[in-house]
Amino acid sequence: MPRQSRTWSFAIWEWGRKMNGKPVVVMCNHASCTGSAFDIARLAGAIAKSGIIDRLVTLDDACHASPGALTGIRKKKVIFAGCPILKENGFYEEAARRLVIEKTDWVAINLSTDVLDLYEESDGIEQRLCAILESAGQILSRTQPVTRETIVASSRVLLYGSGLSGLSAALGLAAEGIPVHLIESGGSSVSPGCLGEILREPDLMEGLRERARRNDRIRFLGSGSLMAPIPTDGGFNYRAENGEVREYGSIVFAPERQEEPPRDMGAFTLTQLYAHLRTGKTVGGQVVFLLDRDGETEPEIFRDVLLGACRLVEKAHARVLVLTKNARVTLPGTQELYDECRELGVVFVKYRDEVSVRSEDGDFTIAGIDDHTSAGFIVEKPKILVLPGRTKLASKALEFARSLGLRLFDDHYTQPDSLWRLPNETNRPGVFAAGAARGNMAFEGIREDVASLADAIRQRTSARGIRIEEHIPVVNKEKCAYCLTCVRVCPFGAMTKDPVQRVAKVLSSACKACGVCAAECPAQAIDLRNLGSAQVRAGIETLVR
Amino acid sequence: METHSVCVIGAGITGMTVANNLARAGVKVSLVDRNPYPGGQAIFYGCKAADSCVHCGVCLVQDAVRELRENPLASCYFAASPISLQRSQSNGYRVELDTTPNPIDWRSCTECGRCRTACPHDAVQQTPGWKYFVSSRCTSCGDCVGACPVGAIRLDRGPETLQIDVEGIVVAAGFHPFDPSANRKWGYGKSPRVMTGSEMERLFSAETYLPQDSQRIAFIQCVGSRDMREGEPHCSRACCAFALRMANRIATEFPDTHIDVYYMDIQHFGKNFDVFLNELRGKVSFLRANPICVKTTGTGSPVLRYESLPELRCEEASYDLVVLANGMSPSESSDELADIFGLDLDAQGYLRSPMHAFSTAPEQGIFVAGSCRRPMLIEESVEDASAVSHMVLRHLGVGT
């Protein structure tokens, strides 16, 4: 990242010198991630400190950025215009209207991490500069924006996932009167985080499934065909197993998470332990939970451990030892559960640094240092060793997510950080993540998540006919060489091919009018609102002069 | 089209998010807050990013304030509090508000700042993202009235009682930071070098946030949470999050400072916590110890006496700055609000929420949201707010 930022600072610095003190608007794509805001702010800081540019506006308020980068630039030089977290597609349009069109002597740069990433590999600052100028020109020329209406095709929702999260979401949406078609994901039906719930209520899953089957708004589509949903102008087309093609307004991605198997053979995962507990067999020996070994245990998992420990002592006649670095008691009710466990005789040892696990003929020996007493401890031959693993999405769910064009973080999260936990949005408009797809969640969390999911879907479908004023890329069919460069470079997956006419095609529902396709097209076949590259450049030059 | 209206009590991050969400769906909102400005507790918090964003969520609050400013459907009653509630005829409610309108009318204020310059008592203040307001320091001298070019200031507005008719109510009264001054052992209030996490938060929004000569800093976790003697048995959830992020920023920007974190258990907050904690372990030392008391020496620098666990001995360490990572307590007005709106309190004094996503929608139309329900992080409050706004819309029958 640092190298990239430096190059970009330089590029803008050079350009800024040419601008000769004109106010500059830096626009960045809030929706892409907080990382972009950070980069933009660093750039903004560099530019403002150089003293070349008189004023600079970022539409992101850059709060995510380093205070160091911002020191001294908050004073007048940089105006943090700020945008609320934008849920509507009209982000750039509104921004442009407010800042560029109203103050026509301003210049705008449109940056987003996606665009930055694309140019990282290419050579030559010149090229990059041209790209910025082009983007700037596009926004600048928006004095007569094109208006189009996007009608969300259908209120119908296509939902992926038939586990606890999926069924909860389906029932929640159906209760709002939204028709839901459900693709069954198979695999484990309950994610870690909700395992304890199943002990409390063994028939929970069957009950939910039964309710979903009886609900006439919910339809099961089977385990899904290999065909990925195809984005259309007002939503998505999906071909079900039986060959029927239907149009959907939005897609909800709600698969379950699975626990990774432990690296020590013979140890139990939490899921396996719970499967064992459900059989009702007694253990009659010592059960050791070893937490915080591969990464920090999340509070949801810790709660499952506590519920399991209680059950082991009460019903399975086991002695329970929990080895952990920290007791994670932030979830409501966990503190009581923790106290209850200790009263029942569950022993908690908080260890320091690392513990060693040795395995001989299926018997484990665990050794470590107690953080309270600094004394060493050794646990020999526990009957069961439980090693809760990291949770991941099943490979089938991953495949589905990739086919939707979802950007996955850490390969298993649909959202990059917890600030994204606010809305159920993903990087693709119209695709929402729900339940365990967003991270480990307790049942309580899943139920609350359903309400905010319903809110997100309502916002999408009730805004029938969203008016979007923007520049849609126009593909010149004569010039298009069908090389599909635009399909490869589009950061939003908004370019597809039209195999019949053999030309590139714009999916206006996904297009964010960033202009990358127009800048990259080798045949110069793509223009934005019929403005050619030459015209854009001429516009900028006039402005610079 | 028929316009619905809802009253939101509390203009913190939760209240503002509910108001903004409802307004987007075309519902009129009356936003009521005790303070003369929106933003609640979190508006004074500062960004904790060091060399990269640590996802503290403080910027979300400022975003919400900005959206509120542009929100045409929100009417703000600041420096106001509800006093009674009655059922109105049309199956709604009539809320009676006790309000002291601020001398500066925020809708007409242009933020030119002349009133601030003119005020001899420094009574005109501004919070991030919001316009000017007059604080309690005002002596009604009238200098500002003449200075205002748009005539937005009127000093003759006295307290008044208002009645608003609404169809639903959202209580988002927020929390109250735990006050350690009640217990003398924390040595809070005796020296400016012992401060609470919430005070530190306020400093963080300034450019130079660290008091001079702060070479050795101690963070004490779980002050007023998970402590039976203080009557707060629960984990406050937010204090590990803010204290460790602060420690991280200080340690990154001033690598020479020595930072000790005294803790019981470090709590997990948000994604990427693993990476964050691992990096922090290299910059800050973590001590699992039981703090006994904080004393102040003659020079004003605090000395922490703690029980060192391996030997169970009493040890002392001297610091230049002690930060008490204080937990969250229920808002002081919880009792009163519970009374007015007929809500239940739990054992700790948090408001019980009558609703759940799955249970049948509450017929009464009174909802509880955010950190007056249980301790929440900023992002959780926002999420809770969007869930609640959905329940409200369902209650009103909008958008379905």
Side-chain angles (χ1 to χ4, degrees), chain A residues 30 34 38 61 63-67 71-72 81-85 87-88 168 172 176 295-299 325-332 335-336 338 350 371-374 413 415-419 421-422 438 444 447-449 451-452 454-455 458-459, chain B residues 21 24-25 47 49-53 55 57 59-60 62-63 66-67 70 207 226 233-235 237 249 253 263-268 270-274 277 281 288 309-310 356-358 373-374 379 382-384 386-387 389-391 393-394 398-400:
Chain A
H30 197 312
T34 50
F38 175 59
D61 61 4
C63 287
H64 305 291
S66 147
T71 309
C83 277
I85 290 194
K87 293 190 174 161
E88 286 77 33
S168 305
E176 305 294 322
E296 305 286 330
T297 307
E298 292 182 32
K325 279 185 187 164
N326 289 292
R328 315 277 189 201
V329 291
T330 50
L331 283 186
Q335 181 72 47
E336 286 89 342
Y338 181 50
K350 292 175 188 166
D371 198 22
H372 275 298
T373 59
S374 293
Y413 293 102
Q415 294 155 325
D417 56 52
S418 28
L419 296 188
R421 289 184 60 152
L422 328 171
R438 300 170 60 202
E444 177 100 339
R447 290 200 294 192
E448 282 170 18
D449 190 55
S452 61
D455 193 42
R458 180 194 57 73
Q459 288 200 14
Chain B
N21 280 357
R24 270 188 228 144
C47 173
D51 48 6
S52 62
C53 172
H55 318 298
C59 41
L60 298 178
Q62 286 157 19
D63 283 347
R66 277 191 213 101
E67 195 178 339
E70 311 275 309
E207 264 174 38
R226 296 185 76 194
H234 291 93
C235 172
R237 198 169 174 82
R249 183 172 160 191
E253 283 179 21
Y263 73 103
M264 197 186 312
D265 289 302
I266 295 293
Q267 300 301 335
H268 194 286
K271 277 178 203 155
N272 308 328
F273 173 76
D274 283 39
L277 192 66
R281 280 190 205 279
R288 183 169 255 141
L309 281 160
H356 254 310
F358 262 1
R373 205 149 81 67
R374 61 177 164 82
E379 66 260 29
V382 176
E383 195 171 4
D384 197 41
S386 49
S389 30
H390 174 72
M391 309 303 294
L393 290 176
R394 195 157 96 169
V398 177
T400 46

Side-chain angles (χ1 to χ4, degrees), chain B residues 167-179:
Chain B
E167 288 161 74
I169 291 164
V170 179
V171 180
F175 69 100
H176 178 67
F178 177 80
D179 180 11

Side-chain angles (χ1 to χ4, degrees), chain A residues 48-49 53-56 69-80, chain B residues 206-208:
Chain A
K49 275 181 187 164
I53 290 163
D54 179 38
R55 260 189 302 176
L56 186 117
L70 297 180
T71 309
I73 59 168
R74 276 195 195 272
K75 291 174 192 156
K76 302 279 183 219
K77 281 208 168 158
V78 178
I79 301 163
F80 293 94
Chain B
E207 264 174 38
T208 47

Side-chain angles (χ1 to χ4, degrees), chain A residues 287-307:
Chain A
V287 179
V288 176
F289 288 88
L290 177 51
L291 312 181
D292 290 335
R293 190 156 167 247
D294 302 312
E296 305 286 330
T297 307
E298 292 182 32
E300 289 83 5
I301 307 291
F302 193 76
R303 188 164 157 264
D304 267 353
V305 168
L306 295 179
L307 285 167

